[in-house]
Amino acid sequence: MSSYLALVPAAGSGSRLGATRPKQYLQLNGKPLLWHTLSTLAAVPAISQVTVVLAADDLWFDRFDWPLAKLRVCRVGGASRAETVRNGLQALNCGERDWVLVHDAARCCLSQTAVERLITELTDNEVGGLLALPVADTVKRADAARCVSATVPRSDLWLAQTPQMFRAGKLVQALASMPLADITDEASALEALGLRPQLVEGDAQNFKVTYPRDIALAEAILAARKDADVSSWAGL
Ligand code: CTP
Ligand code: MG
């Protein structure tokens, strides 16, 4: 039977956030942002291992406790996200047909429900796929003067999120067959092989913490989720 392995690239510097530490180590509701990401993945019963890929010179990870039995750490981060993922995959030690779920460390409001939906909907899919969100707003194309040059039909447009879940063998092959600079996400590398990843509906809460303004929203989402958990345990 195929295993489900999560691979979390966390070797970025968070330059757009501009904090004094990489954004994955900012404290959100008293825990590092990365903790929220890793603990959600580790809570999914089908996932047997969660591997976080850090920069080789990471000075932050060891300052915190990470009591997660499924967690593996490797320090082989690269200069780009794609390189970090490729290096991490090499360190995974998994079978060709095992499923790898690549998930951005910075998407700390991922819900367990969304991961389980991805796994369930892709059970019988040979290629794999990704969480994504149908575009809800009207889409405009801008010209050089930032005036609207066109309104773009949006009915078949989706915003790609993570996790992106593919068979390990195919993912390794796809990432090796393209220049790293051309890889925007794992799905794009599979697409370049002529494969068609499945889109599985995600949710807007699974956004990528990128700018300072995103912190308050992420904290509010995580706090509301915690409150809901407490209420359900209390039988309210
Ligand atoms: N990432 C990585 N290795 C890199 C660059 C990014 O593992 N060389 C990871 C980040 O840690 C993050 C995910 O890829 O979890 C998505 O990247 P992004 O949101 O762009 O994070 P940063 O690159 O850290 O942020 P910025 O682009 O603002 O510098
Ligand atoms: Mg980046």
Side-chain angles (χ1 to χ4, degrees), residues 98-119:
D98 286 337
W99 289 107
V100 180
L101 290 87
V102 181
H103 180 65
D104 292 326
R107 294 183 191 272
C108 57
C109 297
L110 174 71
S111 70
Q112 194 178 326
T113 319
V115 184
E116 284 167 352
R117 187 162 61 244
L118 181 72
I119 290 175

Side-chain angles (χ1 to χ4, degrees), residues 12-16 23 81 208:
S13 63
S15 56
R16 284 170 288 180
K23 64 185 175 186
R81 179 188 178 283
K208 195 166 60 139

Side-chain angles (χ1 to χ4, degrees), residues 8-18 22-24 53 77-85 103-107 208-210:
V8 180
S13 63
S15 56
R16 284 170 288 180
L17 211 130
K23 64 185 175 186
Q24 53 274 32
V53 191
S80 65
R81 179 188 178 283
E83 192 177 352
T84 299
V85 170
H103 180 65
D104 292 326
R107 294 183 191 272
K208 195 166 60 139
V209 171
T210 305

Side-chain angles (χ1 to χ4, degrees), residues 43-230:
V44 175
I47 294 179
S48 56
Q49 189 177 303
V50 179
T51 300
V52 62
V53 191
L54 308 178
D57 59 357
D58 185 300
L59 294 174
W60 288 94
F61 187 84
D62 291 338
R63 297 185 192 188
F64 305 100
D65 284 333
W66 308 91
L68 296 168
K70 295 179 184 176
L71 186 62
R72 303 284 174 276
V73 182
C74 64
R75 297 172 183 269
V76 294
S80 65
R81 179 188 178 283
E83 192 177 352
T84 299
V85 170
R86 195 188 60 185
N87 294 351
L89 266 175
Q90 281 165 3
L92 261 194
N93 190 19
C94 57
E96 290 238 319
R97 289 190 58 76
D98 286 337
W99 289 107
V100 180
L101 290 87
V102 181
H103 180 65
D104 292 326
R107 294 183 191 272
C108 57
C109 297
L110 174 71
S111 70
Q112 194 178 326
T113 319
V115 184
E116 284 167 352
R117 187 162 61 244
L118 181 72
I119 290 175
T120 306
E121 289 198 24
L122 297 179
T123 308
D124 298 322
N125 190 301
E126 253 320 293
V127 178
L130 61 149
L131 288 181
L133 209 56
V135 172
D137 295 324
T138 298
V139 178
K140 302 293 187 190
R141 177 165 292 122
D143 63 15
R146 208 191 274 181
C147 293
V148 175
S149 65
T151 296
V152 181
R154 62 154 192 255
S155 60
D156 58 355
L157 292 183
W158 292 63
L159 300 171
Q161 300 182 334
T162 67
Q164 304 206 351
M165 177 174 136
F166 298 104
R167 302 268 187 196
K170 271 278 176 288
L171 190 52
V172 169
Q173 183 193 348
L175 296 180
S177 63
M178 260 176 98
L180 282 172
D182 295 347
I183 300 174
T184 56
D185 63 354
E186 289 65 49
S188 68
L190 274 284
E191 292 155 40
L193 290 183
L195 299 169
R196 296 173 62 195
Q198 182 77 43
L199 295 162
V200 175
E201 188 149 352
D203 57 67
Q205 295 189 345
N206 185 25
F207 69 97
K208 195 166 60 139
V209 171
T210 305
Y211 298 104
R213 62 172 181 263
D214 297 335
I215 297 288
L217 177 59
E219 284 195 311
I221 291 169
L222 294 167
R225 205 171 282 163
K226 205 169 167 197
D227 287 349
D229 285 351
V230 171

